């Protein structure tokens, strides 16, 4: 559809509508606020919408959150509860069914370590249900988790590892967590996307791997992602657009130079920037300098949200007591 890299459905919709000055057929959108969090529900309902968006038919829920700070525990728990509220309708399990959480990404690379860090903070109960069922609270669902690494570390496709484990332990649901790519700087580390169509690891940075979805695994797959990087060419393009907008705004009417600037095709400009940058920096992806602390905070928010959604019989205090 476009050359700008993004994993977010809401951005894919924005890009198309900016270019074509109209709504996408077969795509429905609903925006609302849950407390201080803006939630956007993008639903792809037709084959035409699927083709235009470049994403499978299904639901893509986007939460836009203010900047997270690790010391504001109450604030982070509020975000986790909104996340749990978005995930819960997608989890169709009874107490005997098993959920498997998969933390995708490379734990040696901070912007890509979101998935493994979430797994570290989860309430894992499958072994407790099997070994000491009388010693745990009633209504606790069996949950297991894994962080399979990436192809460059293991030499094995991530999807192949997950499929082998699914065939062995036969979970009823998979929740995948992965770092994503965004087209806008303001969404980096401040957006959470929840989808019910699975995920293709590495797609946002041009390393598309085996799809992890109900089609490939035979069970429902919920994908949770946070954009942690943005394409350098997109930053350059947006910066130039801001400069041009300011120049055009303050220009005298009738100037041929400013008329020419106003008529520039922004997608063509994006391709030109990529061609200029590639010989010098390659496919450079950029992340904020405070990514270490932010990933720690975001991973805690997501793990807490998943714990709440997977264990509805427990209060958050009880969940925390199991983790401690």
């Amino acid at each position: 559809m476009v050359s700008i890299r993004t994993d977010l459905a809401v951005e894919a919709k924005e890009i198309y509508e900016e270019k074509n000055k109209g709504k996408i057929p077969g795509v429905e959108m609903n925006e609302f606020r849950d407390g201080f969090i803006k939630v956007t529900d993008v639903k792809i309902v037709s084959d035409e919408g699927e083709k235009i968006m470049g994403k499978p038919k299904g639901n893509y829920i986007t939460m836009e959150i203010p900047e997270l700070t690790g010391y504001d525990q109450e604030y982070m728990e509020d975000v986790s509860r909104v996340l749990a509220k978005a995930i819960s309708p997608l989890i169709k399990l009874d107490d005997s069914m098993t959920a498997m959480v998969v933390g995708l990404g490379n734990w040696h690379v901070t912007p890509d370590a979101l998935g493994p860090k979430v797994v570290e903070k989860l309430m894992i109960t499958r072994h407790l249900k099997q070994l000491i069922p009388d010693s745990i609270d009633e209504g606790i669902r069996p949950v297991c988790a894994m962080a399979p690494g990436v192809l460059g570390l293991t030499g094995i496709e991530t999807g192949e590892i997950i499929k082998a484990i699914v065939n062995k332990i036969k979970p009823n649901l998979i929740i995948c967590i992965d770092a994503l790519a965004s087209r806008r700087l303001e969404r980096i580390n401040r957006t959470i996307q929840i989808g019910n169509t699975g995920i293709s690891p590495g797609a946002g940075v041009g390393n598309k791997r085996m799809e992890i979805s109900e089609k490939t695994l035979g069970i429902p797959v919920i994908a949770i992602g946070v954009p942690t990087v943005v394409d350098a060419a997109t930053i350059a393009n947006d910066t130039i657009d801001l400069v041009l907008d300011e120049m055009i705004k303050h220009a005298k009417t009738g100037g041929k130079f400013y008329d020419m600037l106003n008529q520039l095709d922004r997608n063509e400009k994006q391709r030109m920037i990529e061609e200029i940058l590639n010989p010098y920096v390659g496919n450079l992806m950029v992340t904020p300098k405070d990514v270490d602390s932010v990933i720690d905070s975001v991973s805690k928010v997501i793990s807490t949200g998943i714990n709440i959604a997977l264990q509805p019989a427990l209060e958050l205090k009880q969940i925390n007591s199991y983790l401690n």
Side-chain angles (χ1 to χ4, degrees):
M1 182 179 67
V2 291
S3 60
I4 297 175
R5 289 179 181 169
T6 180
D7 289 314
L8 300 178
V10 68
E11 289 187 341
K13 183 176 184 296
E14 289 172 355
I15 293 168
Y16 177 90
E17 292 179 351
E18 285 173 7
K19 181 180 179 182
N20 296 277
K21 310 299 182 185
K23 293 185 176 180
I24 302 178
V27 176
E28 302 171 358
M29 188 176 80
N30 179 37
E31 289 184 352
F32 60 94
R33 299 196 75 84
D34 192 329
F36 55 87
I37 296 173
K38 179 183 177 183
V39 181
T40 304
D41 186 358
V42 175
K43 186 181 294 184
I44 303 175
V45 297
S46 73
D47 292 339
E48 185 180 7
E50 179 179 87
K51 184 177 179 181
I52 293 172
M53 291 281 283
K55 296 181 180 297
K57 284 184 283 188
N59 277 52
Y60 301 86
I61 302 165
T62 304
M63 294 170 47
E64 296 181 27
I65 60 177
E67 185 177 356
L68 291 174
T69 53
Y71 53 80
D72 194 339
Q73 186 67 28
E74 185 177 347
Y75 173 79
M76 291 172 63
E77 288 179 359
D78 288 341
V79 178
S80 295
R81 287 190 174 91
V82 176
L83 175 61
K85 196 185 298 184
I87 301 171
S88 294
L90 306 177
I91 298 174
K92 298 176 174 62
L93 300 175
D94 61 36
D95 293 348
S96 64
M97 293 180 175
T98 299
M100 185 170 82
V101 183
V102 179
L104 299 171
N106 187 341
W107 48 76
H108 296 305
V109 181
T110 303
D112 197 33
L114 177 67
K117 283 185 173 292
V118 168
V119 166
E120 290 176 359
K121 302 175 178 69
L122 289 174
M123 180 178 167
I124 305 301
T125 57
R126 180 174 176 265
H127 61 306
L128 301 178
K129 294 283 283 188
Q130 291 178 338
L131 300 175
I132 50 171
D134 296 332
S135 300
I136 60 176
D137 292 313
E138 290 185 12
I140 287 183
R141 288 172 174 163
V143 176
C144 57
M146 62 176 295
V150 294
L151 181 64
L153 293 176
T154 64
I156 309 171
E157 280 280 2
T158 303
E160 293 174 342
I161 297 173
I162 296 170
K163 188 169 186 178
I165 295 175
V166 166
N167 291 339
K168 179 67 176 177
I169 69 170
K170 301 189 181 337
N172 304 96
L173 171 74
I174 287 181
I175 300 177
C176 283
I177 302 98
D178 199 10
L180 308 179
S182 174
R183 67 161 294 200
R184 296 191 184 279
L185 281 170
E186 61 265 27
R187 285 198 171 107
I188 297 299
N189 297 326
R190 296 178 64 174
T191 304
I192 302 173
Q193 177 175 270
I194 305 107
N196 64 351
T197 62
I199 195 168
S200 294
V205 294
N207 297 325
K208 190 171 183 180
R209 300 300 181 194
M210 176 180 167
E211 181 181 297
I212 301 166
S213 66
E214 185 169 6
K215 182 171 66 176
T216 60
L217 299 178
I219 57 175
V221 177
I222 299 171
I224 302 174
V226 174
T228 61
V229 295
V230 63
D231 192 355
T234 300
I235 296 175
N237 188 44
D238 289 349
T239 303
I240 292 172
D241 284 344
L242 290 172
V243 173
L244 293 181
D245 288 343
E246 285 300 309
M247 292 174 68
I248 292 167
K249 189 189 303 181
H250 295 96
K252 294 179 180 178
T253 57
K256 290 184 179 180
F257 175 67
Y258 295 106
D259 289 341
M260 179 188 70
L261 294 180
N262 203 23
Q263 293 170 9
L264 276 176
D265 182 274
R266 299 198 172 192
N267 285 298
E268 185 62 35
K269 178 158 50 61
Q270 171 80 17
R271 285 189 286 271
M272 179 185 69
I273 291 170
E274 289 174 353
E275 289 174 5
I276 293 171
L277 287 180
N278 275 342
Y280 300 98
V281 298
N283 294 323
L284 180 65
M285 307 300 291
V286 181
T287 194
K289 65 179 181 180
D290 61 346
V291 66
D292 298 80
S293 61
V294 172
I295 291 294
D296 283 339
S297 297
V298 174
S299 63
K300 188 170 184 180
V301 164
I302 293 176
S303 62
T304 303
I306 293 173
N307 287 335
I308 294 170
L310 288 179
Q311 306 297 347
L314 300 183
E315 297 290 334
L316 183 54
K317 288 182 180 180
Q318 294 173 288
I319 292 172
N320 290 334
S321 69
Y322 273 96
L323 294 174
N324 296 330

